[in-house]
Amino acid sequence: MKTLNVGILAHVDAGKTSLTERLLHTVGVIDELGSVDDGTTRTDSMALERQRGITIRSAVVSFVVGDVTVNLIDTPGHPDFIAEVERVLGLLDGVVLVVSAVEGVQAQTRVLMRTLRRLRLPTLIFVNKVDRAGADPDRVRRDIAARLTPAVVPTGTVHAPGTAAARCVPYPDSDPDFLRQLRDLLTAHDDALLAEFVRDERRLTGERLRDALAAQTRRALVHPVLAGSAITGAGVADLIGALTALLPVRQPPVDGPAAGTVFKIERNPAGERVAYVRMFGGTVRLRDRLPVGAGRTATVTGIEVFDRGGTVRAEAVTAGRIALLHGLGDVRIGDPVGAAPAGSTDARHFAPPSLETVVVPARAADRGALHAALSQLAEEDPLINVRQEPTRREISVSLYGEVQKEVVQTLLADRYGLAVDFRETTTVCVERLAGAGAAVEVIGVPPNPFLATVGLHVAPGPAGSGVRFRLGVELGSMPPAFFTAVEETVRETLRQGPYGWQVVDVVVTMTHAGYWARQSHSHGTFDKSMSSTAGDFRNLTPLVLMAALLRAGTRVEEPVHRFRLEVPADALGVVLPVLARLDALPRTTVSHGPLYVVEGHVPAGRVHAVERRLPALTRGEAIFESTFDHYRPVRGEPPTRARWDHDPTDRREYLLAVARRVTGHRGER
């Protein structure tokens, strides 16, 4: 059967989950509508989601339209949970971006649309809540064209907006204004269509233009705008028809090797990890033994596929479908299942978390249980990046915002019975190389205590390139396991540079390698004191890498947000000095009638302070939005992430101390 994997994306409170519920009801999957307010929706299954009325984890539901199986993925709208959105983007054939007819385009809407356009994901825009008091679909459509993308076209009109009687009427093919809008938009992206119009404009009939609209929508060149109400059902039938008519329906090959990607991890009541897998090719059958992640294999012990709003047990899952797979062991989000899907990438679509806090258990005796619980939560959201400082054993997590902190606190209490508090939230910085550096430790040459030779050269990489590990020695000069140990430890060590922050955009080249082959005394058994092991390389690598980093030098950089502020004209003179005191740097200030629009940059650590001050300064009329833009060097003394208890003047002891802190090893074989 043909398949279509569609993501529902929106800013918070746009009615995204209610729309998912209405879609399921309209296609006959559910007999009774659930309510976000009552906590009875199909996709908000977590108790916390029902209590707060927000989506925290992405959820999948499935239904059939004609001969197409539609997998609908409901994603969070709150920016604190943008990581959930990130994990599903690579799985999607198309997107429905929901915008409220009352609130209009919000900061999160702009972030999402920029990403969708960059990824060239086919996108329909649905203007929801046309029945709500204050709804103005025409204003919102103009806002969409001005602030999201000009490549949009409305497909119908709304009668009686802002009332319970609001209804959506599609434009007929005979409507000359609609045909003119379609023609102007579509010929701008298709020279052949333009030439056809020039030769004989009568050939561009309504049917011909609708075919071109579908083709250009599937190529993400244009974005049809529909409207309706998830509460009354107005316009929802038209949206269902548009899903299969305008988005790219696929029939992927079920033959060939199985290829899928894990995008979500859950634990069932028995504590077993269950992996959500999007299949891109081939077929996975019960009891299949498949490669999973790097160098591991696992046996599939259970398969559940999504069907009519729920899941059912199955013997197999084919390409194009989404399934729950049991038995994959310690599989992680992002791991391939079977062959790696063609074109798969680890590229990030959104900025990483820019905040960090220390989690403090109410009882000191719960520290070990807290670390284990947070590690399990990190399976579901790896970007919380659980980190334990070895000396004081303080546990830190990375966050996108204060709401996420509250969610972590509630999950720890509800799932694990752990009461916790948080220290003050701080900004997560990064370290970037100031130059190049190298270091080497040679086997058998004091004071190297390990049976390994490791030489490393570090150099800055292009912005956004991450960590690149290269070999400057012959691949056959050591057993592969030793090279693997070095590379894995390099990546682990770079999570904390000389100032304690993650080192980004760096090229690490292994310049020296050496080992002692497996040997023993005469007629004796293997003697590890005479033979190199992977542990020697794991212990030595942090020491050499830190020495190379110190010689290269690193600078600490803080995250900076780009902001847009709409402020009443009479409040501008009061707001600008406050922005300056909070280190916000306006770049442009433009008058728009009774408002001024101020755009500029502000350090991420100051965003919440700006948001707190604006309501009192502007009578609550200011509209402030910000998104991550770039990193910049910290002014003054660089902040350190962890306290060092060793005197750095003793280079050898200093590096050993850093190696112990980073890896948790004691420097022993």
Side-chain angles (χ1 to χ4, degrees):
M1 181 177 271
K2 299 174 183 177
T3 62
L4 175 65
N5 292 286
V6 180
I8 306 287
L9 277 61
H11 62 83
V12 68
D13 291 333
K16 171 180 48 58
T17 298
S18 296
L19 178 60
T20 301
E21 198 77 6
R22 174 61 69 174
L23 288 167
L24 294 176
H25 183 267
T26 303
V27 298
V29 168
I30 56 177
D31 297 325
E32 185 176 348
L33 284 169
S35 166
V36 172
D37 293 336
D38 296 337
T40 56
T41 58
R42 184 65 59 99
T43 53
D44 283 346
S45 57
M46 294 173 59
L48 187 58
E49 291 176 314
R50 292 171 172 167
Q51 292 166 11
R52 298 186 63 101
I54 61 173
T55 300
I56 297 171
R57 297 283 185 260
S58 57
V60 182
V61 289
S62 180
F63 55 86
V64 175
V65 178
D67 63 344
V68 180
T69 296
V70 178
N71 292 315
L72 204 63
I73 305 178
D74 184 15
T75 63
H78 198 288
D80 280 15
F81 308 105
I82 194 69
E84 283 291 312
V85 180
E86 171 144 59
R87 284 188 275 276
V88 306
L89 288 180
L91 320 173
L92 302 178
D93 301 313
V95 167
V96 175
L97 181 64
V98 184
V99 182
S100 169
V102 180
E103 290 83 8
V105 173
Q106 302 291 293
Q108 182 77 343
T109 321
R110 299 180 72 195
V111 172
L112 293 171
M113 192 62 189
R114 277 198 299 268
T115 303
L116 297 175
R117 293 181 67 190
R118 186 173 68 249
L119 297 177
R120 302 190 66 80
L121 266 173
T123 301
L124 307 179
I125 300 175
F126 186 78
V127 179
N128 191 25
K129 300 187 179 182
V130 298
D131 60 314
R132 280 264 309 277
D136 189 345
D138 290 337
R139 171 185 58 82
V140 172
R141 286 167 177 164
R142 292 192 297 270
D143 207 20
I144 288 170
R147 301 181 65 188
L148 296 184
T149 171
V152 294
V153 58
T155 60
T157 186
V158 180
H159 293 280
T163 71
R167 59 191 180 91
C168 305
V169 180
Y171 290 126
D173 286 354
S174 58
D175 187 315
D177 289 337
F178 174 58
L179 293 182
R180 178 183 51 77
Q181 288 187 66
L182 271 183
R183 185 187 64 221
D184 292 347
L185 176 65
L186 298 175
T187 54
H189 298 92
D190 188 336
D191 290 342
L193 194 67
L194 177 60
E196 192 174 342
F197 170 72
V198 171
R199 284 194 301 269
D200 184 358
E201 64 180 82
R202 292 173 299 177
R203 297 179 61 179
L204 296 190
T205 63
E207 182 180 0
R208 175 73 177 91
L209 288 172
R210 286 191 182 275
D211 288 343
L213 176 64
Q216 292 193 22
T217 301
R218 293 182 186 120
R219 294 167 57 198
L221 296 175
V222 300
H223 309 287
V225 179
L226 299 93
S229 167
I231 299 301
T232 68
V236 172
D238 295 328
L239 175 61
I240 292 172
L243 292 178
T244 53
L246 298 176
L247 295 179
V249 174
R250 307 185 188 281
Q251 192 159 16
V254 297
D255 299 327
T261 299
V262 178
F263 68 94
K264 180 177 176 180
I265 298 289
E266 282 185 352
R267 285 184 180 265
N268 62 20
E272 176 199 15
R273 280 188 180 189
V274 181
Y276 285 65
V277 177
R278 170 25 162 128
M279 293 297 300
F280 289 91
T283 301
V284 170
R285 297 178 176 82
L286 207 58
R287 310 308 303 173
D288 275 356
R289 189 164 178 81
L290 299 170
V292 178
R296 296 191 304 107
T297 58
T299 300
V300 178
T301 59
I303 300 174
E304 298 174 65
V305 295
F306 289 90
D307 181 62
R308 296 185 60 80
T311 60
V312 295
R313 290 279 181 177
E315 294 293 317
V317 57
T318 57
R321 300 296 299 271
I322 294 175
L324 305 181
L325 298 187
H326 299 250
L328 300 189
D330 293 333
V331 68
R332 297 174 297 178
I333 289 174
D335 278 352
V337 175
S344 61
T345 176
D346 294 329
R348 293 191 53 82
H349 309 304
F350 302 107
S354 60
L355 303 174
E356 184 177 66
T357 185
V358 173
V359 188
V360 182
R363 299 189 315 135
D366 289 338
R367 194 182 301 275
L370 173 61
H371 188 270
L374 285 171
S375 296
Q376 286 196 6
L377 292 182
E379 295 172 2
E380 302 173 15
D381 184 0
L383 289 182
I384 69 173
N385 189 28
V386 179
R387 183 180 69 92
Q388 185 167 29
E389 198 278 315
T391 304
R392 291 170 292 175
R393 300 185 63 211
E394 290 183 342
I395 304 172
S396 300
V397 294
S398 300
L399 302 168
Y400 277 102
E402 296 299 313
V403 174
Q404 190 182 9
K405 183 192 293 185
E406 295 174 23
V407 169
V408 169
Q409 187 176 40
T410 303
L411 288 174
L412 289 172
D414 292 349
R415 286 193 194 177
Y416 306 99
L418 295 171
V420 301
D421 202 353
F422 297 91
R423 296 213 183 130
E424 183 180 359
T425 302
T426 58
T427 304
V428 176
C429 298
V430 298
E431 291 184 55
R432 203 178 299 275
L433 289 185
V440 62
E441 294 285 349
V442 179
I443 191 170
V445 177
N448 180 3
F450 306 111
L451 300 187
T453 292
V454 174
L456 298 173
H457 177 273
V458 296
S465 61
V467 176
R468 296 182 180 179
F469 181 81
R470 298 174 177 173
L471 289 181
V473 295
E474 290 291 335
L475 184 60
S477 61
M478 286 198 315
F482 293 170
F483 286 118
T484 299
V486 172
E487 180 176 359
E488 289 178 350
T489 309
V490 162
R491 296 183 182 278
E492 179 185 358
T493 303
L494 288 173
R495 293 175 62 186
Q496 291 181 273
Y499 291 99
W501 306 103
Q502 182 176 2
V503 182
V504 298
D505 302 334
V506 56
V507 178
V508 181
T509 304
M510 189 170 186
T511 57
H512 297 75
Y515 74 107
W516 284 356
R518 184 182 180 94
Q519 55 188 302
S520 62
H521 296 286
S522 298
H523 308 293
T525 58
F526 166 65
D527 186 351
K528 68 177 183 179
S529 68
M530 302 170 57
S531 312
S532 300
T533 67
D536 288 296
F537 289 90
R538 293 187 186 279
N539 285 329
L540 181 60
T541 297
L543 189 153
V544 177
L545 181 56
M546 280 295 174
L549 290 174
L550 287 171
R551 289 170 182 166
T554 63
R555 61 177 182 269
V556 178
E557 298 188 354
E558 64 180 347
V560 176
H561 282 212
R562 180 177 61 253
F563 74 84
R564 184 181 191 273
L565 171 64
E566 294 182 10
V567 61
D570 62 346
L572 182 66
V574 178
V575 169
L576 289 179
V578 174
L579 292 178
R581 287 196 294 272
L582 294 174
D583 299 326
L585 180 62
R587 298 289 185 184
T588 62
T589 303
V590 180
S591 173
H592 288 277
L595 297 175
Y596 273 94
V597 176
V598 183
E599 295 187 347
H601 294 100
V602 58
R606 293 289 201 167
V607 167
H608 292 295
V610 172
E611 292 173 334
R612 287 194 300 268
R613 295 294 304 276
L614 285 175
L617 298 172
T618 63
R619 304 180 299 278
E621 298 178 26
I623 300 175
F624 180 82
E625 58 186 58
S626 73
T627 57
F628 172 83
D629 190 70
H630 64 279
Y631 286 97
R632 73 176 185 193
V634 172
R635 299 165 185 166
E637 185 68 21
T640 56
R641 193 180 198 181
R643 185 188 69 196
W644 290 357
D645 299 320
H646 297 268
D647 181 1
T649 56
D650 186 334
R651 187 186 71 87
R652 184 72 185 178
E653 286 303 315
Y654 167 73
L655 292 175
L656 283 172
V658 172
R660 293 170 189 145
R661 174 170 62 85
V662 172
T663 66
H665 295 302
R666 298 182 178 179
E668 299 173 354
R669 301 194 66 244

